[in-house]
Amino acid sequence: MRTPRRRPRAAVAAAGATALTAAALIAAPFTGAATGSSAAGSSAAGPAVGPVPAVVGHRLVKGADRPLSDEQCRATWGINCYTPLQYRRAYDLEPLYRAGVTGEGRTIVIVDSFGSPTIQHDLDVYSEQFGLPSTRVEVLKWGDVPPFDPTDADQAGWAGESTLDVQMAHAVAPGARIVLVETGVAETEGVTGLPEMMDAEKSMIDRGVGDVITQSFGATENTFPGFDRGDFSSIGKLRYAFEDARRHDVTVLASSGDGGATDATADGGGDYPYRVNSWPSADPLVTSIGGTQLHLDDSGDRTAPDSVYNDYGAGGGGQSHVFARPAYQNGVKDVVGDRRGTPDISMAAAVDGGAWVYSSYDPTAVGWDVYGGTSEASPLFSGVVALADQFGGRRVGDIHQALYALSRGESRLTGIVDVQDGTDNSYDGVTGYPAVKGYDMATGVGSLDAARFVPALARAARPH
């Protein structure tokens, strides 16, 4: 079995005297996410340290004994670090909570390789720290999941991803049920690990478990068998879970990646020197979640509009080489051409503005970490979907038609907030796509104001 390599769709930072040394900085990659580097000493993403799972986020701070204030983060590491309370303010979630819309009665399914043995404890600590109600995480093991070994870099990377996924989903939808499905094979590039994940997802769907599925993993389309010959059947054979989800009105999300317009090569040694895309984010049956950078004060109020995530990585986006433009993107054909374009919508993912996460799966680094990457954005958005499901009293299902229809309306009514700072998602020498007015392949339709977006999505969605 080849060594998995994942570039973070999220990233993590470490606290303490040696927090930003090369050894402490870990880029938990996703297929095409960016690796972490010293926030204090470099503005360029460095190479991944050791084997990392296919979809782990960027970790820039690791094992702090407590969450620091934003001012302390800037002074210590040169980055902003945000709490779920700041996110709640930034995304205008409080009006929904006051109305009783917390995701109650809805289920978020998270799929990760290996999982974490301390997932419940860590969520409890996280929730208590920020005054949130905790919830029970239901862990389902799919296949032969090996005993957890914190010295195994692959398993530890996925434990970090699992922790990030659970805490971000809970931060947005504190009333939702969370099911963490742990598979026994690491997802890397090509098909490796994906059949187990797709089997697990289909089983959940068929059993009625889950209203929304979030996937913080992906593999570069070019790494699948047959791609070079124009044979995309190896991807086609993996789509059965998404087809099943559509029939059952289950919303499926995936991180768009942290490698901008490029992504990881099959051997994990680097990125392609030209534009590529990744699956499942590029699948027309999946809502692709890209990344933005938030600019907040300590209360969570914006000091500037959201911008493109392009600091220690870059939000994935671009044209699929496998899938043609779906009908729901006909209105943005001038941007995506005749191909499926990603992302569809974006949430927080920048390392400069990363999220505090608590973990104890590694006994040598128990404490608070700071993550970024689109593997943060996808679970955040899964919480938004759970809120919309509760608000509407039904599953919103495949949201693409509703999302693109809403993007053509007025933001004050739809809650979609355009991101148009002009920055692009270039990464590793590959020119990306700039954020401009309307849809673009850096942030999709933009970001959201949840108090407006959740009701608008619930009304506009047309499930089967």
Side-chain angles (χ1 to χ4, degrees):
M1 183 172 114
R2 64 190 174 83
T3 301
R5 176 266 193 190
R6 273 305 163 184
R7 299 256 241 101
R9 291 196 170 183
V12 190
T18 61
L20 295 180
T21 63
L25 293 173
I26 303 173
F30 128 113
T31 191
T35 62
S37 63
S38 170
S42 171
S43 61
V49 180
V52 287
V55 172
V56 179
H58 294 289
R59 184 160 104 191
L60 224 54
V61 178
K62 181 179 180 182
D65 59 4
R66 69 190 187 284
L68 305 184
S69 70
D70 200 39
E71 181 179 357
Q72 289 172 317
C73 285
R74 290 193 299 270
T76 306
W77 304 300
I79 61 173
N80 294 280
C81 306
Y82 298 143
T83 72
L85 304 182
Q86 289 169 284
Y87 281 169
R88 287 174 167 221
R89 177 77 171 178
Y91 288 115
D92 199 16
L93 286 158
E94 292 296 345
L96 294 169
Y97 300 152
R98 290 195 295 269
V101 181
T102 63
E104 184 176 359
R106 297 299 165 177
T107 301
I108 298 170
V109 172
I110 296 167
V111 182
D112 282 311
S113 300
F114 307 129
S116 166
T118 60
I119 200 72
Q120 183 66 63
H121 171 265
D122 295 347
L123 179 62
D124 293 342
V125 173
Y126 175 85
S127 299
E128 182 178 8
Q129 173 68 36
F130 299 114
L132 311 179
S134 194
T135 190
R136 187 170 73 88
V137 181
E138 299 177 43
V139 176
L140 299 177
K141 295 186 182 295
W142 186 265
D144 186 13
V145 180
F148 184 74
D149 178 1
T151 66
D152 183 313
D154 190 20
Q155 292 188 35
W158 281 99
E161 181 57 53
S162 302
T163 305
L164 173 69
D165 289 346
V166 167
Q167 291 177 19
M168 292 304 98
H170 183 65
V172 174
R177 172 191 180 198
I178 295 178
V179 176
L180 174 63
V181 182
E182 303 173 348
T183 65
V185 179
E187 183 266 332
T188 55
E189 293 297 334
V191 300
T192 305
L194 290 171
E196 291 79 8
M197 288 174 158
M198 296 304 104
D199 284 350
E201 291 182 16
K202 186 175 187 304
S203 176
M204 296 299 102
I205 295 164
D206 289 343
R207 292 161 53 191
V209 178
D211 301 295
V212 54
I213 298 172
T214 177
Q215 306 168 113
S216 292
F217 55 82
T220 311
E221 291 177 333
N222 307 53
T223 65
F224 284 84
F227 179 91
D228 291 342
R229 305 189 305 275
D231 176 4
F232 306 138
S233 60
S234 58
I235 290 180
K237 291 175 182 177
L238 290 169
R239 303 185 71 217
Y240 52 89
F242 306 152
E243 293 163 347
D244 197 34
R246 186 181 182 89
R247 289 190 293 269
H248 289 82
D249 293 320
V250 173
T251 309
V252 182
L253 316 174
S255 303
S256 70
D258 297 330
T262 185
D263 215 331
T265 55
D267 63 3
D271 294 307
Y272 285 91
Y274 45 82
R275 291 172 171 177
V276 299
N277 212 317
S278 64
W279 188 89
S281 168
D283 198 296
L285 296 176
V286 173
T287 302
S288 174
I289 312 300
T292 56
Q293 181 173 10
L294 296 178
H295 308 277
L296 310 176
D297 63 19
D298 286 335
S299 297
D301 290 315
R302 283 178 171 76
T303 59
D306 298 359
S307 55
V308 172
Y309 156 41
N310 191 350
D311 49 12
Y312 295 89
Q319 294 175 306
S320 170
H321 290 81
V322 173
F323 298 101
R325 183 185 71 241
Y328 58 76
Q329 287 193 318
N330 285 346
V332 295
K333 63 182 178 182
D334 290 347
V335 180
V336 303
D338 62 356
R339 314 307 303 168
R340 156 69 161 141
T342 62
D344 293 308
I345 192 168
S346 298
M347 290 191 76
V351 178
D352 184 1
W356 282 108
V357 171
Y358 180 83
S359 68
S360 62
Y361 58 83
D362 179 355
T364 68
V366 174
W368 291 89
D369 311 324
V370 176
Y371 276 88
T374 58
S375 56
E376 172 194 354
S378 186
L380 284 173
F381 193 79
S382 74
V384 174
V385 173
L387 299 179
D389 285 342
Q390 182 193 355
F391 186 95
R394 56 172 170 74
R395 293 174 177 171
V396 293
D398 185 333
I399 67 171
H400 288 107
Q401 292 285 359
L403 188 62
Y404 284 89
L406 291 173
S407 72
R408 296 190 292 272
E410 295 184 38
S411 179
R412 64 183 180 86
L413 300 176
T414 66
I416 290 180
V417 180
D418 195 12
V419 177
Q420 47 180 306
D421 71 341
T423 306
D424 63 34
N425 60 347
S426 296
Y427 180 76
D428 203 11
V430 177
T431 302
Y433 303 89
V436 296
K437 185 176 181 179
Y439 177 88
D440 54 66
M441 290 186 287
T443 63
V445 300
S447 191
L448 59 94
D449 176 319
R452 294 176 172 83
F453 178 74
V454 164
L457 178 61
R459 288 191 293 264
R462 295 289 182 267
H464 290 95

